[in-house]
Amino acid sequence: VFQMAWPIEGMPRAVKLVEVGPRDGLQNEKKNVPTPLKIEFINRLSQTGLPVVEMTSFVSPKWVPQMGDSFEVAKGITKHPRVSYPALTPNMKGFERALEAGVDEVAIFGAASQSFSQQNIGCSIEESFERFRPVCEAARANGVKVRGYVSCVLGCPYEGPVAHRSVVEVTKKLLDMGCYEISLGDTIGIGSVGPTRSLLRELKAEVPVDRLAVHFHNTYGQALANIFVALMEGISTVDSSVAGLGGCPYARGASGNVATEDVVFMLDGLGVETGVDLDLLVDAGRFISDALGRQSESRAAIAIESKRISMAEHRSMAEELSAKQAQTAGTADNARMRQCV
C-alpha cells in the first residue's frame, strides 16, 4: 500500500503496537475457534513485525469458554525471538498455570469502576488488589514481567461517567505493585477526543507517560481519533486487535477493539514507525475472519482486499487479451506462410 507520510510535530517517531486479537478479540466471539487455528493465527501474527502478541488468558473456562485451551495454545505456538507473548492471569491459579506453560509475561486487569469490577471479576476494586498482589510477588520471584490493565477509564456500562481521579488512583496502585506498564481501556468505546485528552493530562501530572498505553474500543467510531490525541499527548504504546475482533463479555453493547490494520494505515500515513507489514497483517486478519465466518471490521483491510481483487481481475483480463492477441498473430502468420508456399 503506497502512502505519502506526513510527519506531525509532537508525534512520536515510533509506536509499539500490542496485538490483543488472540485474547481480547477471541474471548468475546460467539464462535469458538479450534486450538490448531488459534495457534496458526498467532504464528501468522508473529510474522507481521508486531512486537507484542497477547496470546491467551488463563481464566476459568466456566466463565470464558473461548479461553479454555490456554495451556495448549501457549505450548503450541512457534515463538518468534523478537516477539513478546503475554497472557492474562487474574489470580494465582491462573499465574501458576501460565508459568507451567512457559509464559514469561503476564497481565492483570483492574477497573476504575466499582460496578464493573464486581461484574467482571466478582470483587471490589480494593479486593482486586489483594488478588493481584501475590501474582505480582510471584512474578517478581520468577522473573516474569507484569502488565496492568485498567478497564472503563472513560465510562462504565453500569455507572456511566467515571471520575478521572479513580483512574489515576488505580493506575498508581498497579504501578506500585510492580506493573511495568498500564494499559488504559475504554472498554465500552464511549470516549471521545475531549475526555481522552483531559484524562491523559491528569494522569501525566502524576504518572510517567512512558508507563502508559491506550486501549480503545470502536463502538462510537472514535478510536482512531482518540489514538491520535493520545499520541500527541506523548503515548507511544497502543493496543489493537486485527480485523477489529472483540468486545467485552461483561459490557453489553461494546463493539470490537480498534482494528490493527486501521491503526497501522494511519500511522504509516503519519510517518510513524511500527515495524509492521500491513499486507501480512491483512492476510492474518483474513485468516481469522474466515475461521470465524465473519467479515473483517477493519476498513483498511476491506479496502486493501478490494484493491487486490480489482488488480487480480485486471491482470486476468490483460493475460486473456494478450493470449488472444498472440493467437490472432499466430493465425495471421500461418495465413501468410500458406500464401508463400
Side-chain angles (χ1 to χ4, degrees):
V1 179
F2 175 77
Q3 276 191 283
M4 291 291 290
W6 298 96
I8 294 178
E9 187 176 351
M11 188 73 59
R13 296 181 63 182
V15 163
K16 180 180 77 174
L17 293 177
V18 177
E19 174 58 49
V20 299
R23 196 278 303 174
D24 196 27
L26 294 184
Q27 74 173 9
N28 199 48
E29 294 293 331
K30 293 180 180 178
K31 185 175 180 179
N32 201 3
V33 178
T35 304
L37 291 184
K38 287 182 183 177
I39 291 171
E40 174 65 17
F41 176 39
I42 295 169
N43 288 344
R44 285 173 179 251
L45 290 170
S46 297
Q47 299 302 315
T48 64
L50 285 162
V52 183
V53 178
E54 190 177 60
M55 60 177 168
T56 190
S57 178
F58 286 83
V59 293
S60 169
K62 176 183 177 182
W63 300 111
V64 188
Q66 295 89 338
M67 297 289 106
D69 56 356
S70 54
F71 188 87
E72 291 76 14
V73 168
K75 295 290 283 185
I77 63 172
T78 301
K79 292 186 177 180
H80 192 286
R82 291 190 295 274
V83 181
S84 297
Y85 299 92
L88 210 64
T89 56
N91 51 40
M92 276 304 297
K93 184 176 180 180
F95 176 80
E96 289 165 357
R97 189 72 169 149
L99 201 62
E100 187 182 349
V103 175
D104 58 10
E105 180 177 339
V106 299
I108 55 177
F109 53 98
S113 155
Q114 290 287 1
S115 299
F116 189 80
S117 183
Q118 289 286 355
Q119 291 290 328
N120 194 32
I121 55 178
C123 65
S124 70
I125 293 174
E126 288 303 321
E127 289 169 339
S128 72
F129 293 133
E130 295 308 309
R131 292 186 186 180
F132 301 150
R133 187 164 286 107
V135 173
C136 291
E137 291 171 354
R140 191 179 304 112
N142 286 277
V144 173
K145 295 171 64 178
V146 182
R147 190 179 199 239
Y149 283 96
V150 183
S151 301
C152 297
V153 300
L154 290 164
C156 170
Y158 309 105
E159 297 179 10
V162 172
H164 290 355
R165 193 67 228 163
S166 177
V167 179
V168 173
E169 292 302 324
V170 173
T171 298
K172 289 169 66 177
K173 286 184 179 180
L174 288 174
L175 287 172
D176 289 343
M177 291 175 67
C179 294
Y180 75 91
E181 181 177 85
I182 305 300
S183 178
L184 306 166
D186 180 18
T187 310
I188 58 174
I190 193 70
S192 58
V193 166
T196 296
R197 182 171 58 183
S198 174
L199 171 62
L200 291 175
R201 288 184 174 177
E202 191 164 335
L203 276 161
K204 285 163 55 181
E206 301 184 45
V207 175
V209 70
D210 61 359
R211 306 286 295 277
L212 300 174
V214 290
H215 181 120
F216 290 105
H217 289 240
N218 203 36
T219 312
Y220 289 85
Q222 300 298 297
L224 287 178
N226 289 334
I227 290 170
F228 185 90
V229 167
L231 297 176
M232 293 302 292
E233 290 297 323
I235 302 293
S236 59
T237 300
V238 176
D239 296 1
S240 58
S241 178
V242 70
L245 298 176
C248 178
Y250 299 102
R252 184 177 298 176
S255 67
N257 295 277
V258 64
T260 309
E261 301 96 320
D262 296 353
V263 176
V264 171
F265 186 84
M266 180 182 78
L267 294 176
D268 283 351
L270 290 169
V272 176
E273 180 61 40
T274 64
V276 176
D277 185 314
L278 183 54
D279 284 315
L280 291 179
L281 193 64
V282 170
D283 292 343
R286 169 50 46 207
F287 173 82
I288 195 61
S289 295
D290 287 346
L292 292 166
R294 51 162 279 186
Q295 174 70 305
S296 171
E297 294 295 323
S298 165
R299 304 307 302 173
I302 292 170
I304 290 168
E305 289 188 314
S306 177
K307 186 176 181 180
R308 286 178 178 175
I309 293 170
S310 179
M311 290 176 66
E313 289 174 346
H314 283 310
R315 281 196 299 270
S316 178
M317 291 173 62
E319 289 169 0
E320 185 178 344
L321 179 61
S322 178
K324 286 181 178 179
Q325 289 174 337
Q327 184 179 13
T328 301
T331 302
D333 288 343
N334 288 338
R336 282 194 294 271
M337 288 175 65
R338 286 196 297 272
Q339 292 171 2
C340 293
V341 172

